[in-house]
Amino acid sequence: MVSPSYLSDPSRVAASVPPAARPKDPGHGPGHGPDDDLPPIVPRRHIGRRMTAGAALLVFAMVVNSVVRNRAFQWDVVGRYFTTAAVLDGLLLTLWLTGVVMVLGFLLGTPLAVMRLSANAVLRTLSWGYAWIFRSTPLLVQLLFWFNIGALYPTLGLGIPFGPQFVTVKTVNLLGPTLTAVIGLTLHEAAYAAEVVRGGILSVDAGQTEAAQALGIGRRRTLRRIVIPQAMRSIVPTAGNMLIGTLKGTSIVSVLAVHDLLYSVQLVYNQTYQVIPLLMVATLWYIAVTTVLSVGQFYVERHYARGSARALPLTPLQRLRIHLAALRARLERATAPEARPVIGGDR
């Protein structure tokens, strides 16, 4: 047992400490600290990862080189037709068709999702049957069916059920190619939108609804002000994918002679026989629009991520600034002159 007198003598305590465990005098040595003799920390070198990245970059460079230098693509023809009036008119119709179909699809799909979650068995069955039919049938078949609807219903009328009709109109005169495409795409998208909205609503914890009911908030207001805003975190990513899919899926309406982007390009290469460069024109426009939509989807997801994470995800511009700052600091360290060594009593 150590006596108190032994602990009260600092010189005797210091003498009992081994030399290796004694702290170094901060006034001696090049770094003035106890950690100066430790070996430097070297990060692990991921040789396999770097080799894989190098091989991937090599393959990517080969693909880009083959595309750029392949004369069969006829890039001069691509540049000449890229902004022609016919192509731009087809692009505008494609964008208009995509926007209308997405808005109408979610306006119809949201009530279907609520019906699917209803306690009424009839509403649940009708909603499930709608989604089952339109998700089980190919989109091309649906468009062709609506295009030939006049064979089943030559006229449409408005009047008393099972009684006289006051207004009648021929289906052939009512449903043109563009309206047929809107109807077919909207009904098809509504089935998928209903499942997207239903999945988003189910992702919200049931305790949120119970807390709203305990506060006396009605069901409609709970759904509109509490459930839907939280469900948007799950709805937006899938809805963004649906938007991009709808943009590309509108190309199928070319079979109905709707003057979308693909059909406009087809009309041109049927006259000039320059199939590959005109298809590249359509491809580049689809890539450009999809890129813009993807950027918009990122910012919408970031907006609805507020409150669910302590820090919002960095934007591409913020990431670029961080990388540039790190690169600038690395260059400054590499070009800075070495520190002047401390000499003797120099302080």
Side-chain angles (χ1 to χ4, degrees):
M1 184 174 179
V2 180
S3 62
S5 60
Y6 179 84
L7 296 176
S8 62
D9 189 355
S11 59
R12 299 179 62 184
V13 174
S16 63
V17 178
R22 297 177 185 174
K24 294 184 178 181
D25 185 4
H28 296 80
H32 307 291
D35 297 333
D36 296 331
D37 295 338
L38 296 178
I41 300 176
V42 180
R44 181 181 178 182
R45 296 178 175 85
H46 300 276
I47 305 300
R49 184 184 304 175
R50 295 181 179 180
M51 293 178 61
T52 304
L57 289 176
L58 178 61
V59 173
F60 176 75
M62 293 172 60
V63 172
V64 172
N65 180 68
S66 65
V67 171
V68 173
R69 302 185 62 180
N70 191 344
R71 297 183 179 179
F73 284 101
Q74 302 181 28
W75 293 109
D76 56 337
V77 179
V78 174
R80 186 165 64 249
Y81 285 100
F82 191 72
T83 56
T84 56
V87 173
L88 293 180
D89 290 341
L91 176 64
L92 291 177
L93 182 58
T94 296
L95 296 177
W96 176 84
L97 195 60
T98 302
V100 170
V101 167
M102 285 298 297
V103 171
L104 295 179
F106 272 90
L107 287 178
L108 180 59
T110 302
L112 289 172
V114 177
M115 290 169 57
R116 185 73 180 275
L117 298 174
S118 174
N120 192 310
V122 176
L123 297 180
R124 288 201 312 268
T125 304
L126 290 177
S127 177
W128 175 85
Y130 180 93
W132 171 62
I133 291 175
F134 284 93
R135 290 198 304 168
S136 303
T137 311
L139 178 57
L140 180 58
V141 175
Q142 296 180 31
L143 290 176
L144 293 176
F145 179 83
W146 289 108
F147 190 71
N148 297 281
I149 194 66
L152 292 175
Y153 301 97
T155 60
L156 294 177
L158 179 63
I160 301 175
F162 308 104
Q165 296 181 350
F166 304 111
V167 179
T168 59
V169 62
K170 291 185 178 181
T171 309
V172 178
N173 300 329
L174 180 63
L175 298 180
T178 304
L179 183 58
T180 301
V182 171
I183 293 174
L185 291 174
T186 298
L187 296 177
H188 179 266
E189 291 297 318
Y192 288 91
E195 293 300 305
V196 170
V197 175
R198 185 177 69 91
I201 294 175
L202 292 177
S203 67
V204 180
D205 187 60
Q208 300 288 326
T209 305
E210 296 175 357
Q213 292 175 354
L215 294 174
I217 303 176
R219 292 179 57 88
R220 293 184 180 179
R221 189 178 180 186
T222 301
L223 182 65
R224 187 178 69 255
R225 301 296 299 273
I226 298 176
V227 177
I228 294 297
Q230 297 184 66
M232 290 298 291
R233 292 198 300 267
S234 300
I235 293 175
V236 169
T238 312
N241 292 334
M242 284 184 58
L243 177 61
I244 294 175
T246 303
L247 172 69
K248 297 182 294 184
T250 53
S251 60
I252 202 173
V253 302
S254 60
V255 300
L256 306 180
V258 178
H259 288 259
D260 68 320
L261 178 59
L262 180 60
Y263 189 76
S264 301
V265 167
Q266 288 175 337
L267 290 179
V268 175
Y269 72 62
N270 285 335
Q271 298 175 357
T272 62
Y273 300 102
Q274 296 171 325
V275 180
I276 298 299
L278 267 301
L279 288 179
M280 285 301 302
V281 170
T283 301
L284 292 177
W285 272 120
Y286 280 121
I287 291 176
V289 177
T290 302
T291 302
V292 174
L293 294 178
S294 300
V295 173
Q297 176 185 347
F298 170 80
Y299 282 98
V300 174
E301 291 181 10
R302 190 172 183 270
H303 172 76
Y304 284 103
R306 296 180 302 175
S308 63
R310 294 183 180 273
L312 294 176
L314 298 177
T315 64
L317 183 58
Q318 291 174 341
R319 294 179 181 178
L320 179 61
R321 290 176 178 174
I322 292 175
H323 287 302
L324 291 178
L327 180 60
R328 189 182 301 111
R330 193 179 299 113
L331 292 176
E332 290 177 356
R333 288 196 303 267
T335 57
E338 296 182 357
R340 186 170 59 89
V342 181
I343 302 175
D346 191 6
R347 292 289 185 267

